[in-house]
Amino acid sequence: MTDATALPGQPRGAVLSGPATERAVNVLAPNASAMTLDGTNTWIVAEPDSGLAVVIDPGPLDDVHLSRVVDAAEKAGKRVALTLLTHGHPDHAEGAARFAELTGTKVRALDPALRLGDEGLAAGDVISTGGLELRVVPTPGHTADSLCFHLPADRAVLTGDTILGRGTTVVAHPDGRLGDYLDSLRRLRSLTVDDGVHTVLPGHGPVLEDAQGAVEFYLAHRAHRLAQVETAVEEGHRSPGEVVAHVYADVDRSLWPAAELSVRAQLDYLREHGLIEDA
């Protein structure tokens, strides 16, 4: 049996609904899959002595799950006052409009198409609800509209799909871009170094206790994959499908379509930096 403390980011273990930090509570959505791991983590975040809460990523359009989120807040003596989105993928955002109906809240997101209300989200914004402080951190790469939320009081960061609790994320070409993603990882690393962030509250998978270790693992993993893809191209594997079959030969074939998205993003990155020639 593998010791969790030896794994990247020091995952806590099983993914459970319930308190994760003093201010953050998870409600796990019932949408487990190869891509969503145990399901989407819907986060309820609030000051302990406040009657107001913020919900991050309501998750899929599933009335049972959405009602469970409302119930969890109410049982803690909180009223949901605001809904935030880390990005627009359906497993995070599809239920947002329905959740807004249930709670009477506005939905704030980077992408205007996902917003309900006049306010969006932008780099440097500080969300203040019921005394809670959440700082918006732009982290494009997985998607163009990806954001993270820094929770200073808990020395935590809510990462959506930018960092997962298990495995690594897909840079979803063509919307996602690898150069942007690497910059975003470095931005998160600076939070661990300069702002003392040590806990990752991911969009999928278990909570991570070693935020800096998780970021360093992601950066090393990306560097390794880039080197593999560059070598594969040099050996004559030119198309994305050929590169996937060569580099991801030990990965479950059901994940190859997602791997191809990442390979396309890596090929674009290598071309942009003059490391490989156009096919």
Side-chain angles (χ1 to χ4, degrees):
M1 187 172 181
T2 302
D3 183 355
T5 60
L7 297 174
Q10 296 181 14
R12 284 189 186 171
V15 182
L16 301 172
S17 292
T21 66
E22 186 177 4
R23 293 166 179 79
V25 173
N26 182 33
V27 182
L28 181 63
N31 61 333
S33 73
M35 293 300 296
T36 60
L37 305 181
D38 308 85
T40 300
N41 295 328
T42 294
W43 292 102
I44 303 171
V45 189
E47 283 297 315
D49 59 354
S50 173
L52 301 179
V54 175
V55 166
I56 298 172
D57 289 350
L61 183 55
D62 181 319
D63 270 0
V64 173
H65 170 65
L66 300 177
S67 296
R68 285 179 59 230
V69 176
V70 175
D71 290 345
E74 291 179 347
K75 287 177 181 177
K78 316 288 186 186
R79 176 178 65 83
V80 179
L82 180 64
T83 302
L84 304 177
L85 298 178
T86 61
H87 65 297
H89 279 170
D91 55 314
H92 293 259
E94 186 183 37
R98 175 60 178 152
F99 189 71
E101 290 178 1
L102 293 173
T103 58
T105 59
K106 296 179 179 178
V107 177
R108 295 182 63 179
L110 179 62
D111 185 349
L114 299 171
R115 301 172 190 167
L116 291 174
D118 297 330
E119 288 187 283
L121 293 171
D125 283 353
V126 178
I127 310 299
S128 300
T129 301
L132 180 74
E133 180 182 318
L134 284 170
R135 300 175 184 173
V136 177
V137 182
T139 50
H142 170 65
T143 61
D145 69 330
S146 287
L147 298 170
C148 292
F149 298 99
H150 177 199
L151 179 56
D154 284 350
R155 296 172 65 190
V157 60
L158 297 107
T159 55
D161 282 354
T162 299
I163 292 180
L164 304 177
R166 185 171 67 250
T168 55
T169 196
V170 173
V171 177
H173 180 276
D175 185 40
R177 294 178 58 83
L178 183 57
D180 291 342
Y181 185 66
L182 295 174
D183 288 343
S184 293
L185 291 177
R186 296 182 189 108
R187 191 171 296 118
L188 291 175
R189 181 171 58 187
S190 74
L191 286 182
T192 71
V193 174
D194 300 332
D195 296 276
V197 166
H198 61 67
T199 302
V200 173
L201 305 175
H204 304 279
V207 172
L208 301 178
E209 301 283 8
D210 177 15
Q212 186 172 353
V215 174
E216 296 292 357
F217 170 76
Y218 267 59
L219 285 167
H221 171 78
R222 286 296 168 190
H224 178 63
R225 281 297 194 210
L226 266 176
Q228 287 182 308
V229 170
E230 184 177 1
T231 299
V233 172
E234 290 172 351
E235 292 176 354
H237 304 282
R238 304 296 292 177
S239 73
E242 290 172 347
V243 173
V244 168
H246 181 72
V247 173
Y248 292 81
D250 59 344
V251 174
D252 189 322
R253 291 178 70 97
S254 69
L255 298 177
W256 280 16
E260 185 169 327
L261 295 178
S262 277
V263 164
R264 288 179 181 275
Q266 290 172 87
L267 291 172
D268 281 354
Y269 179 89
L270 292 169
R271 291 188 191 102
E272 289 166 5
H273 289 76
L275 299 172
I276 62 172
E277 297 179 357
D278 289 333

